């Protein structure tokens, strides 16, 4: 499948100013330290398990918690790999291959700012461009699109 699968979701007449993908590594940059602490804690728990896990039930609890952590890490990476952020001349899009696509109309009242590795939209808490390697490029495209509407 082509790497441009997301273009079919953009309506005719909208010019693409910028598009980008979130960081697709094993750990998102700003959450990497927490993942490493969790993995280290589970490693220490497995190393110390002969001394604190006295029953089979204790081992099953440790196995199930380790499985849940592995699933959450896989699901987070899967969702990030299926997402593309797009700024067009009229809208900001969060296009997902498997999940619901979101769009936000760009007008002169739309306020946004950058935080480390993300672009945040004021008054829209569930719409943001997360885990970006270069949020300044997205900010420049959003500013350009907003200026065309004023």
């Amino acid at each position: 499948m082509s790497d441009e699968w997301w273009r079919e979701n953009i309506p005719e007449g909208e010019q693409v100013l910028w598009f980008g993908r979130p960081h697709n590594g094993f750990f998102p940059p700003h959450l990497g330290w927490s993942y490493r602490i969790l993995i280290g804690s589970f490693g220490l728990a497995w190393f110390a398990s002969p001394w604190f896990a006295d029953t089979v039930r204790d081992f099953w609890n440790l196995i199930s918690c380790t499985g849940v952590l592995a699933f959450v890490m896989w699901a987070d990476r899967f969702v990030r790999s299926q997402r593309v952020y797009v700024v067009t001349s009229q809208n900001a899009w969060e296009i997902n291959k498997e999940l619901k696509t979101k769009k936000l109309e760009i007008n002169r009242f739309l306020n946004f700012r950058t935080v480390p590795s993300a672009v945040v939209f004021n008054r829209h808490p569930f719409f943001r461009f997360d885990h970006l390697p270069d949020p300044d490029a997205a900010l420049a495209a959003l500013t350009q699109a907003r200026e065309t509407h004023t």
Side-chain angles (χ1 to χ4, degrees):
M1 179 173 250
S2 172
D3 210 23
E4 302 287 317
W5 56 266
W6 53 269
R7 288 203 184 265
E8 65 192 29
N9 293 353
I10 305 296
E12 294 288 327
E14 287 193 35
Q15 177 189 6
V16 175
L17 302 175
W18 174 87
F19 71 94
R21 294 180 174 274
H23 177 74
N24 284 328
F26 283 106
F27 311 121
H30 73 281
L31 295 177
W33 61 270
S34 60
Y35 277 117
R36 288 178 181 97
I37 289 172
L38 271 172
I39 291 170
S41 299
F42 275 96
L44 184 64
W46 275 103
F47 181 72
S49 64
W51 291 281
F52 77 84
D54 297 329
T55 64
V56 174
R57 181 180 206 142
D58 293 337
F59 277 109
W60 277 112
N61 287 340
L62 189 58
I63 288 170
S64 63
C65 287
T66 305
V68 166
L69 175 66
F71 176 76
V72 166
M73 288 178 60
W74 172 82
D76 178 50
R77 187 171 184 211
F78 176 76
V79 168
R80 283 185 284 124
S81 71
Q82 305 293 312
R83 183 179 299 154
V84 176
Y85 301 121
V86 180
V87 176
T88 64
S89 55
Q90 298 171 1
N91 295 305
W93 296 82
E94 180 183 295
I95 301 174
N96 292 298
K97 192 184 282 189
E98 303 294 331
L99 301 173
K100 183 179 178 185
T101 296
K102 299 178 191 176
K103 83 173 181 177
L104 185 62
E105 182 182 351
I106 297 174
N107 55 34
R108 64 184 176 153
F109 302 111
L110 182 65
N111 294 320
F112 41 82
R113 61 187 165 84
T114 59
V115 295
S117 73
V119 175
V120 179
F121 298 87
N122 297 346
R123 294 178 298 193
H124 300 281
F126 300 108
F127 191 90
R128 58 187 284 158
F129 293 171
D130 275 326
H131 312 300
L132 291 175
D134 185 19
D136 294 330
L139 187 69
L142 285 164
T143 303
Q144 178 186 354
R146 184 175 60 187
E147 286 174 355
T148 60
H149 289 285
T150 58

